[in-house]
Amino acid sequence: MKKVIFNADDFCYSLEFNKGILELLEEGTVTSTTVMVNHYNDEQAGQIAVLREIPNISVGLHVEFINNKDFKGDIENQYAKFEGLLGRAP
């Protein structure tokens, strides 16, 4: 039997995106999401808290390359932001 993974991309893009992704994760329609840490703002803190508490999901980092001369720095900075927001590694 093949397993299909449905990922809801772009968590933190907006409050509305987050709301929809949380609904899909909570009902089990999707089992993973990726977080755009550079779009996070304090209004999303409650939604991040909910995301942290949903069991049995995969949460990854959606890396955005901002500085075309320092890809490694972009990845390291966003990885650290992810750990700070989610309390764990992607």
PDB file of all heavy atoms in Angstrom, residues 16-51:
ATOM      1  N   GLU A  16      -5.022  34.136   8.065  1.00  0.00           N
ATOM      2  CA  GLU A  16      -6.029  33.309   7.379  1.00  0.00           C
ATOM      3  C   GLU A  16      -5.435  31.992   6.887  1.00  0.00           C
ATOM      4  O   GLU A  16      -6.075  30.957   6.992  1.00  0.00           O
ATOM      5  CB  GLU A  16      -6.667  34.081   6.224  1.00  0.00           C
ATOM      6  CG  GLU A  16      -7.612  35.163   6.689  1.00  0.00           C
ATOM      7  CD  GLU A  16      -8.765  34.627   7.529  1.00  0.00           C
ATOM      8  OE1 GLU A  16      -9.386  33.622   7.147  1.00  0.00           O
ATOM      9  OE2 GLU A  16      -9.027  35.219   8.592  1.00  0.00           O
ATOM     10  N   PHE A  17      -4.220  32.029   6.313  1.00  0.00           N
ATOM     11  CA  PHE A  17      -3.562  30.783   5.918  1.00  0.00           C
ATOM     12  C   PHE A  17      -3.415  29.881   7.132  1.00  0.00           C
ATOM     13  O   PHE A  17      -3.714  28.691   7.083  1.00  0.00           O
ATOM     14  CB  PHE A  17      -2.165  31.067   5.339  1.00  0.00           C
ATOM     15  CG  PHE A  17      -2.113  31.237   3.854  1.00  0.00           C
ATOM     16  CD1 PHE A  17      -2.884  32.182   3.210  1.00  0.00           C
ATOM     17  CD2 PHE A  17      -1.255  30.456   3.097  1.00  0.00           C
ATOM     18  CE1 PHE A  17      -2.812  32.350   1.848  1.00  0.00           C
ATOM     19  CE2 PHE A  17      -1.172  30.606   1.727  1.00  0.00           C
ATOM     20  CZ  PHE A  17      -1.959  31.555   1.095  1.00  0.00           C
ATOM     21  N   ASN A  18      -2.923  30.452   8.230  1.00  0.00           N
ATOM     22  CA  ASN A  18      -2.704  29.665   9.447  1.00  0.00           C
ATOM     23  C   ASN A  18      -3.996  29.027   9.927  1.00  0.00           C
ATOM     24  O   ASN A  18      -4.014  27.851  10.309  1.00  0.00           O
ATOM     25  CB  ASN A  18      -2.138  30.547  10.558  1.00  0.00           C
ATOM     26  CG  ASN A  18      -0.774  31.102  10.238  1.00  0.00           C
ATOM     27  OD1 ASN A  18      -0.160  30.776   9.230  1.00  0.00           O
ATOM     28  ND2 ASN A  18      -0.296  31.971  11.104  1.00  0.00           N
ATOM     29  N   LYS A  19      -5.062  29.797   9.924  1.00  0.00           N
ATOM     30  CA  LYS A  19      -6.351  29.281  10.385  1.00  0.00           C
ATOM     31  C   LYS A  19      -6.764  28.058   9.567  1.00  0.00           C
ATOM     32  O   LYS A  19      -7.155  27.026  10.118  1.00  0.00           O
ATOM     33  CB  LYS A  19      -7.423  30.370  10.276  1.00  0.00           C
ATOM     34  CG  LYS A  19      -8.780  29.927  10.741  1.00  0.00           C
ATOM     35  CD  LYS A  19      -9.803  31.044  10.572  1.00  0.00           C
ATOM     36  CE  LYS A  19     -11.187  30.533  10.930  1.00  0.00           C
ATOM     37  NZ  LYS A  19     -12.246  31.409  10.466  1.00  0.00           N
ATOM     38  N   GLY A  20      -6.672  28.160   8.260  1.00  0.00           N
ATOM     39  CA  GLY A  20      -7.041  27.039   7.399  1.00  0.00           C
ATOM     40  C   GLY A  20      -6.137  25.838   7.589  1.00  0.00           C
ATOM     41  O   GLY A  20      -6.604  24.696   7.650  1.00  0.00           O
ATOM     42  N   ILE A  21      -4.840  26.075   7.710  1.00  0.00           N
ATOM     43  CA  ILE A  21      -3.896  24.980   7.906  1.00  0.00           C
ATOM     44  C   ILE A  21      -4.154  24.286   9.240  1.00  0.00           C
ATOM     45  O   ILE A  21      -4.156  23.050   9.317  1.00  0.00           O
ATOM     46  CB  ILE A  21      -2.447  25.490   7.800  1.00  0.00           C
ATOM     47  CG1 ILE A  21      -2.145  25.897   6.349  1.00  0.00           C
ATOM     48  CG2 ILE A  21      -1.462  24.433   8.285  1.00  0.00           C
ATOM     49  CD1 ILE A  21      -0.835  26.636   6.164  1.00  0.00           C
ATOM     50  N   LEU A  22      -4.399  25.056  10.289  1.00  0.00           N
ATOM     51  CA  LEU A  22      -4.695  24.456  11.592  1.00  0.00           C
ATOM     52  C   LEU A  22      -5.949  23.591  11.532  1.00  0.00           C
ATOM     53  O   LEU A  22      -5.975  22.494  12.096  1.00  0.00           O
ATOM     54  CB  LEU A  22      -4.839  25.533  12.668  1.00  0.00           C
ATOM     55  CG  LEU A  22      -3.545  26.221  13.092  1.00  0.00           C
ATOM     56  CD1 LEU A  22      -3.839  27.406  14.006  1.00  0.00           C
ATOM     57  CD2 LEU A  22      -2.588  25.240  13.757  1.00  0.00           C
ATOM     58  N   GLU A  23      -6.973  24.052  10.841  1.00  0.00           N
ATOM     59  CA  GLU A  23      -8.199  23.264  10.702  1.00  0.00           C
ATOM     60  C   GLU A  23      -7.901  21.951   9.997  1.00  0.00           C
ATOM     61  O   GLU A  23      -8.375  20.882  10.423  1.00  0.00           O
ATOM     62  CB  GLU A  23      -9.258  24.052   9.934  1.00  0.00           C
ATOM     63  CG  GLU A  23      -9.852  25.203  10.721  1.00  0.00           C
ATOM     64  CD  GLU A  23     -10.790  26.084   9.907  1.00  0.00           C
ATOM     65  OE1 GLU A  23     -11.095  25.751   8.734  1.00  0.00           O
ATOM     66  OE2 GLU A  23     -11.213  27.130  10.435  1.00  0.00           O
ATOM     67  N   LEU A  24      -7.133  21.991   8.912  1.00  0.00           N
ATOM     68  CA  LEU A  24      -6.796  20.781   8.164  1.00  0.00           C
ATOM     69  C   LEU A  24      -5.956  19.813   8.991  1.00  0.00           C
ATOM     70  O   LEU A  24      -6.158  18.601   8.942  1.00  0.00           O
ATOM     71  CB  LEU A  24      -6.061  21.143   6.871  1.00  0.00           C
ATOM     72  CG  LEU A  24      -6.881  21.889   5.822  1.00  0.00           C
ATOM     73  CD1 LEU A  24      -5.982  22.413   4.718  1.00  0.00           C
ATOM     74  CD2 LEU A  24      -7.968  20.982   5.257  1.00  0.00           C
ATOM     75  N   LEU A  25      -5.010  20.355   9.752  1.00  0.00           N
ATOM     76  CA  LEU A  25      -4.178  19.505  10.609  1.00  0.00           C
ATOM     77  C   LEU A  25      -4.998  18.864  11.720  1.00  0.00           C
ATOM     78  O   LEU A  25      -4.851  17.672  12.002  1.00  0.00           O
ATOM     79  CB  LEU A  25      -3.036  20.326  11.216  1.00  0.00           C
ATOM     80  CG  LEU A  25      -1.924  20.755  10.264  1.00  0.00           C
ATOM     81  CD1 LEU A  25      -1.050  21.824  10.915  1.00  0.00           C
ATOM     82  CD2 LEU A  25      -1.081  19.557   9.838  1.00  0.00           C
ATOM     83  N   GLU A  26      -5.862  19.643  12.346  1.00  0.00           N
ATOM     84  CA  GLU A  26      -6.653  19.131  13.463  1.00  0.00           C
ATOM     85  C   GLU A  26      -7.653  18.071  13.028  1.00  0.00           C
ATOM     86  O   GLU A  26      -7.931  17.133  13.771  1.00  0.00           O
ATOM     87  CB  GLU A  26      -7.341  20.286  14.187  1.00  0.00           C
ATOM     88  CG  GLU A  26      -6.353  21.131  14.984  1.00  0.00           C
ATOM     89  CD  GLU A  26      -6.946  22.403  15.565  1.00  0.00           C
ATOM     90  OE1 GLU A  26      -7.956  22.912  15.039  1.00  0.00           O
ATOM     91  OE2 GLU A  26      -6.382  22.892  16.560  1.00  0.00           O
ATOM     92  N   GLU A  27      -8.177  18.184  11.810  1.00  0.00           N
ATOM     93  CA  GLU A  27      -9.129  17.169  11.340  1.00  0.00           C
ATOM     94  C   GLU A  27      -8.426  15.988  10.677  1.00  0.00           C
ATOM     95  O   GLU A  27      -9.062  14.996  10.330  1.00  0.00           O
ATOM     96  CB  GLU A  27     -10.166  17.778  10.407  1.00  0.00           C
ATOM     97  CG  GLU A  27      -9.640  18.237   9.069  1.00  0.00           C
ATOM     98  CD  GLU A  27     -10.655  18.998   8.238  1.00  0.00           C
ATOM     99  OE1 GLU A  27     -11.588  19.588   8.795  1.00  0.00           O
ATOM    100  OE2 GLU A  27     -10.500  18.992   6.998  1.00  0.00           O
ATOM    101  N   GLY A  28      -7.102  16.085  10.495  1.00  0.00           N
ATOM    102  CA  GLY A  28      -6.333  14.982   9.931  1.00  0.00           C
ATOM    103  C   GLY A  28      -6.314  14.920   8.421  1.00  0.00           C
ATOM    104  O   GLY A  28      -5.808  13.954   7.857  1.00  0.00           O
ATOM    105  N   THR A  29      -6.838  15.933   7.758  1.00  0.00           N
ATOM    106  CA  THR A  29      -6.813  15.963   6.294  1.00  0.00           C
ATOM    107  C   THR A  29      -5.390  16.076   5.783  1.00  0.00           C
ATOM    108  O   THR A  29      -5.040  15.483   4.764  1.00  0.00           O
ATOM    109  CB  THR A  29      -7.666  17.137   5.764  1.00  0.00           C
ATOM    110  OG1 THR A  29      -8.994  16.986   6.267  1.00  0.00           O
ATOM    111  CG2 THR A  29      -7.692  17.178   4.259  1.00  0.00           C
ATOM    112  N   VAL A  30      -4.565  16.847   6.467  1.00  0.00           N
ATOM    113  CA  VAL A  30      -3.140  16.923   6.162  1.00  0.00           C
ATOM    114  C   VAL A  30      -2.378  16.560   7.437  1.00  0.00           C
ATOM    115  O   VAL A  30      -2.897  16.696   8.547  1.00  0.00           O
ATOM    116  CB  VAL A  30      -2.694  18.314   5.647  1.00  0.00           C
ATOM    117  CG1 VAL A  30      -3.387  18.660   4.340  1.00  0.00           C
ATOM    118  CG2 VAL A  30      -2.934  19.403   6.663  1.00  0.00           C
ATOM    119  N   THR A  31      -1.170  16.075   7.263  1.00  0.00           N
ATOM    120  CA  THR A  31      -0.388  15.648   8.423  1.00  0.00           C
ATOM    121  C   THR A  31       0.930  16.395   8.544  1.00  0.00           C
ATOM    122  O   THR A  31       1.748  16.061   9.386  1.00  0.00           O
ATOM    123  CB  THR A  31      -0.100  14.137   8.350  1.00  0.00           C
ATOM    124  OG1 THR A  31       0.594  13.861   7.120  1.00  0.00           O
ATOM    125  CG2 THR A  31      -1.378  13.330   8.428  1.00  0.00           C
ATOM    126  N   SER A  32       1.118  17.392   7.682  1.00  0.00           N
ATOM    127  CA  SER A  32       2.360  18.156   7.780  1.00  0.00           C
ATOM    128  C   SER A  32       2.149  19.574   7.264  1.00  0.00           C
ATOM    129  O   SER A  32       1.240  19.855   6.491  1.00  0.00           O
ATOM    130  CB  SER A  32       3.491  17.473   6.998  1.00  0.00           C
ATOM    131  OG  SER A  32       3.252  17.528   5.609  1.00  0.00           O
ATOM    132  N   THR A  33       3.027  20.447   7.733  1.00  0.00           N
ATOM    133  CA  THR A  33       3.051  21.818   7.253  1.00  0.00           C
ATOM    134  C   THR A  33       4.485  22.304   7.284  1.00  0.00           C
ATOM    135  O   THR A  33       5.354  21.680   7.881  1.00  0.00           O
ATOM    136  CB  THR A  33       2.146  22.756   8.096  1.00  0.00           C
ATOM    137  OG1 THR A  33       2.045  24.034   7.444  1.00  0.00           O
ATOM    138  CG2 THR A  33       2.663  22.943   9.503  1.00  0.00           C
ATOM    139  N   THR A  34       4.740  23.394   6.598  1.00  0.00           N
ATOM    140  CA  THR A  34       6.038  24.050   6.659  1.00  0.00           C
ATOM    141  C   THR A  34       5.810  25.495   7.074  1.00  0.00           C
ATOM    142  O   THR A  34       4.815  26.110   6.704  1.00  0.00           O
ATOM    143  CB  THR A  34       6.774  23.998   5.309  1.00  0.00           C
ATOM    144  OG1 THR A  34       5.919  24.486   4.286  1.00  0.00           O
ATOM    145  CG2 THR A  34       7.208  22.583   4.983  1.00  0.00           C
ATOM    146  N   VAL A  35       6.734  26.008   7.867  1.00  0.00           N
ATOM    147  CA  VAL A  35       6.583  27.330   8.459  1.00  0.00           C
ATOM    148  C   VAL A  35       7.508  28.327   7.757  1.00  0.00           C
ATOM    149  O   VAL A  35       8.704  28.067   7.590  1.00  0.00           O
ATOM    150  CB  VAL A  35       6.903  27.289   9.966  1.00  0.00           C
ATOM    151  CG1 VAL A  35       6.773  28.672  10.591  1.00  0.00           C
ATOM    152  CG2 VAL A  35       5.992  26.296  10.675  1.00  0.00           C
ATOM    153  N   MET A  36       6.935  29.452   7.366  1.00  0.00           N
ATOM    154  CA  MET A  36       7.692  30.555   6.768  1.00  0.00           C
ATOM    155  C   MET A  36       8.035  31.534   7.896  1.00  0.00           C
ATOM    156  O   MET A  36       7.299  32.485   8.154  1.00  0.00           O
ATOM    157  CB  MET A  36       6.863  31.239   5.690  1.00  0.00           C
ATOM    158  CG  MET A  36       6.447  30.322   4.565  1.00  0.00           C
ATOM    159  SD  MET A  36       5.367  31.123   3.371  1.00  0.00           S
ATOM    160  CE  MET A  36       6.571  32.063   2.435  1.00  0.00           C
ATOM    161  N   VAL A  37       9.156  31.292   8.566  1.00  0.00           N
ATOM    162  CA  VAL A  37       9.479  32.045   9.777  1.00  0.00           C
ATOM    163  C   VAL A  37       9.673  33.533   9.529  1.00  0.00           C
ATOM    164  O   VAL A  37       9.457  34.349  10.426  1.00  0.00           O
ATOM    165  CB  VAL A  37      10.709  31.455  10.502  1.00  0.00           C
ATOM    166  CG1 VAL A  37      10.409  30.051  11.001  1.00  0.00           C
ATOM    167  CG2 VAL A  37      11.951  31.482   9.614  1.00  0.00           C
ATOM    168  N   ASN A  38      10.069  33.913   8.332  1.00  0.00           N
ATOM    169  CA  ASN A  38      10.278  35.334   8.051  1.00  0.00           C
ATOM    170  C   ASN A  38       8.973  36.112   7.940  1.00  0.00           C
ATOM    171  O   ASN A  38       8.987  37.335   7.918  1.00  0.00           O
ATOM    172  CB  ASN A  38      11.106  35.523   6.781  1.00  0.00           C
ATOM    173  CG  ASN A  38      12.557  35.177   6.998  1.00  0.00           C
ATOM    174  OD1 ASN A  38      13.058  35.183   8.113  1.00  0.00           O
ATOM    175  ND2 ASN A  38      13.249  34.855   5.924  1.00  0.00           N
ATOM    176  N   HIS A  39       7.849  35.417   7.874  1.00  0.00           N
ATOM    177  CA  HIS A  39       6.545  36.077   7.815  1.00  0.00           C
ATOM    178  C   HIS A  39       5.867  36.123   9.179  1.00  0.00           C
ATOM    179  O   HIS A  39       4.808  36.718   9.322  1.00  0.00           O
ATOM    180  CB  HIS A  39       5.627  35.368   6.809  1.00  0.00           C
ATOM    181  CG  HIS A  39       6.064  35.557   5.402  1.00  0.00           C
ATOM    182  ND1 HIS A  39       5.544  36.533   4.594  1.00  0.00           N
ATOM    183  CD2 HIS A  39       7.001  34.912   4.658  1.00  0.00           C
ATOM    184  CE1 HIS A  39       6.122  36.481   3.407  1.00  0.00           C
ATOM    185  NE2 HIS A  39       7.012  35.495   3.434  1.00  0.00           N
ATOM    186  N   TYR A  40       6.467  35.500  10.175  1.00  0.00           N
ATOM    187  CA  TYR A  40       5.879  35.459  11.509  1.00  0.00           C
ATOM    188  C   TYR A  40       5.796  36.868  12.106  1.00  0.00           C
ATOM    189  O   TYR A  40       6.697  37.680  11.953  1.00  0.00           O
ATOM    190  CB  TYR A  40       6.698  34.574  12.445  1.00  0.00           C
ATOM    191  CG  TYR A  40       6.227  34.642  13.878  1.00  0.00           C
ATOM    192  CD1 TYR A  40       5.113  33.933  14.283  1.00  0.00           C
ATOM    193  CD2 TYR A  40       6.868  35.456  14.803  1.00  0.00           C
ATOM    194  CE1 TYR A  40       4.651  34.020  15.585  1.00  0.00           C
ATOM    195  CE2 TYR A  40       6.419  35.540  16.108  1.00  0.00           C
ATOM    196  CZ  TYR A  40       5.309  34.825  16.488  1.00  0.00           C
ATOM    197  OH  TYR A  40       4.842  34.921  17.770  1.00  0.00           O
ATOM    198  N   ASN A  41       4.672  37.131  12.797  1.00  0.00           N
ATOM    199  CA  ASN A  41       4.547  38.341  13.597  1.00  0.00           C
ATOM    200  C   ASN A  41       3.810  37.980  14.884  1.00  0.00           C
ATOM    201  O   ASN A  41       3.237  36.903  15.010  1.00  0.00           O
ATOM    202  CB  ASN A  41       3.836  39.466  12.819  1.00  0.00           C
ATOM    203  CG  ASN A  41       2.437  39.087  12.424  1.00  0.00           C
ATOM    204  OD1 ASN A  41       1.596  38.778  13.270  1.00  0.00           O
ATOM    205  ND2 ASN A  41       2.161  39.091  11.125  1.00  0.00           N
ATOM    206  N   ASP A  42       3.844  38.893  15.842  1.00  0.00           N
ATOM    207  CA  ASP A  42       3.291  38.603  17.167  1.00  0.00           C
ATOM    208  C   ASP A  42       1.804  38.260  17.149  1.00  0.00           C
ATOM    209  O   ASP A  42       1.322  37.571  18.049  1.00  0.00           O
ATOM    210  CB  ASP A  42       3.538  39.773  18.117  1.00  0.00           C
ATOM    211  CG  ASP A  42       5.004  39.910  18.484  1.00  0.00           C
ATOM    212  OD1 ASP A  42       5.759  38.932  18.334  1.00  0.00           O
ATOM    213  OD2 ASP A  42       5.404  41.010  18.921  1.00  0.00           O
ATOM    214  N   GLU A  43       1.056  38.703  16.143  1.00  0.00           N
ATOM    215  CA  GLU A  43      -0.364  38.360  16.047  1.00  0.00           C
ATOM    216  C   GLU A  43      -0.567  36.860  15.855  1.00  0.00           C
ATOM    217  O   GLU A  43      -1.632  36.335  16.130  1.00  0.00           O
ATOM    218  CB  GLU A  43      -1.030  39.105  14.883  1.00  0.00           C
ATOM    219  CG  GLU A  43      -1.135  40.601  15.089  1.00  0.00           C
ATOM    220  CD  GLU A  43      -1.775  41.286  13.896  1.00  0.00           C
ATOM    221  OE1 GLU A  43      -1.725  40.736  12.765  1.00  0.00           O
ATOM    222  OE2 GLU A  43      -2.332  42.371  14.093  1.00  0.00           O
ATOM    223  N   GLN A  44       0.453  36.169  15.384  1.00  0.00           N
ATOM    224  CA  GLN A  44       0.363  34.740  15.099  1.00  0.00           C
ATOM    225  C   GLN A  44       0.801  33.866  16.274  1.00  0.00           C
ATOM    226  O   GLN A  44       0.785  32.643  16.178  1.00  0.00           O
ATOM    227  CB  GLN A  44       1.210  34.403  13.867  1.00  0.00           C
ATOM    228  CG  GLN A  44       0.760  35.130  12.618  1.00  0.00           C
ATOM    229  CD  GLN A  44       1.694  34.901  11.455  1.00  0.00           C
ATOM    230  OE1 GLN A  44       2.766  34.333  11.580  1.00  0.00           O
ATOM    231  NE2 GLN A  44       1.283  35.358  10.291  1.00  0.00           N
ATOM    232  N   ALA A  45       1.165  34.472  17.393  1.00  0.00           N
ATOM    233  CA  ALA A  45       1.688  33.712  18.537  1.00  0.00           C
ATOM    234  C   ALA A  45       0.712  32.635  19.003  1.00  0.00           C
ATOM    235  O   ALA A  45       1.118  31.509  19.302  1.00  0.00           O
ATOM    236  CB  ALA A  45       2.030  34.657  19.689  1.00  0.00           C
ATOM    237  N   GLY A  46      -0.567  32.967  19.070  1.00  0.00           N
ATOM    238  CA  GLY A  46      -1.558  31.990  19.502  1.00  0.00           C
ATOM    239  C   GLY A  46      -1.666  30.824  18.534  1.00  0.00           C
ATOM    240  O   GLY A  46      -1.834  29.669  18.952  1.00  0.00           O
ATOM    241  N   GLN A  47      -1.569  31.113  17.255  1.00  0.00           N
ATOM    242  CA  GLN A  47      -1.647  30.048  16.255  1.00  0.00           C
ATOM    243  C   GLN A  47      -0.405  29.151  16.311  1.00  0.00           C
ATOM    244  O   GLN A  47      -0.511  27.937  16.152  1.00  0.00           O
ATOM    245  CB  GLN A  47      -1.833  30.645  14.861  1.00  0.00           C
ATOM    246  CG  GLN A  47      -3.179  31.321  14.702  1.00  0.00           C
ATOM    247  CD  GLN A  47      -3.304  32.069  13.391  1.00  0.00           C
ATOM    248  OE1 GLN A  47      -2.364  32.704  12.926  1.00  0.00           O
ATOM    249  NE2 GLN A  47      -4.494  32.002  12.799  1.00  0.00           N
ATOM    250  N   ILE A  48       0.755  29.740  16.558  1.00  0.00           N
ATOM    251  CA  ILE A  48       1.973  28.944  16.724  1.00  0.00           C
ATOM    252  C   ILE A  48       1.824  28.035  17.941  1.00  0.00           C
ATOM    253  O   ILE A  48       2.204  26.859  17.913  1.00  0.00           O
ATOM    254  CB  ILE A  48       3.218  29.845  16.864  1.00  0.00           C
ATOM    255  CG1 ILE A  48       3.602  30.469  15.519  1.00  0.00           C
ATOM    256  CG2 ILE A  48       4.398  29.090  17.465  1.00  0.00           C
ATOM    257  CD1 ILE A  48       4.240  29.522  14.518  1.00  0.00           C
ATOM    258  N   ALA A  49       1.240  28.560  19.010  1.00  0.00           N
ATOM    259  CA  ALA A  49       1.028  27.756  20.223  1.00  0.00           C
ATOM    260  C   ALA A  49       0.127  26.562  19.930  1.00  0.00           C
ATOM    261  O   ALA A  49       0.383  25.450  20.408  1.00  0.00           O
ATOM    262  CB  ALA A  49       0.439  28.616  21.337  1.00  0.00           C
ATOM    263  N   VAL A  50      -0.912  26.771  19.143  1.00  0.00           N
ATOM    264  CA  VAL A  50      -1.808  25.667  18.764  1.00  0.00           C
ATOM    265  C   VAL A  50      -1.047  24.653  17.923  1.00  0.00           C
ATOM    266  O   VAL A  50      -1.143  23.441  18.141  1.00  0.00           O
ATOM    267  CB  VAL A  50      -3.052  26.200  18.005  1.00  0.00           C
ATOM    268  CG1 VAL A  50      -3.866  25.051  17.427  1.00  0.00           C
ATOM    269  CG2 VAL A  50      -3.901  27.067  18.920  1.00  0.00           C
ATOM    270  N   LEU A  51      -0.275  25.133  16.953  1.00  0.00           N
ATOM    271  CA  LEU A  51       0.501  24.244  16.087  1.00  0.00           C
ATOM    272  C   LEU A  51       1.441  23.365  16.903  1.00  0.00           C
ATOM    273  O   LEU A  51       1.571  22.170  16.636  1.00  0.00           O
ATOM    274  CB  LEU A  51       1.301  25.066  15.072  1.00  0.00           C
ATOM    275  CG  LEU A  51       2.147  24.284  14.074  1.00  0.00           C
ATOM    276  CD1 LEU A  51       1.270  23.433  13.163  1.00  0.00           C
ATOM    277  CD2 LEU A  51       3.008  25.244  13.254  1.00  0.00           C
TER     278      LEU A  51
END
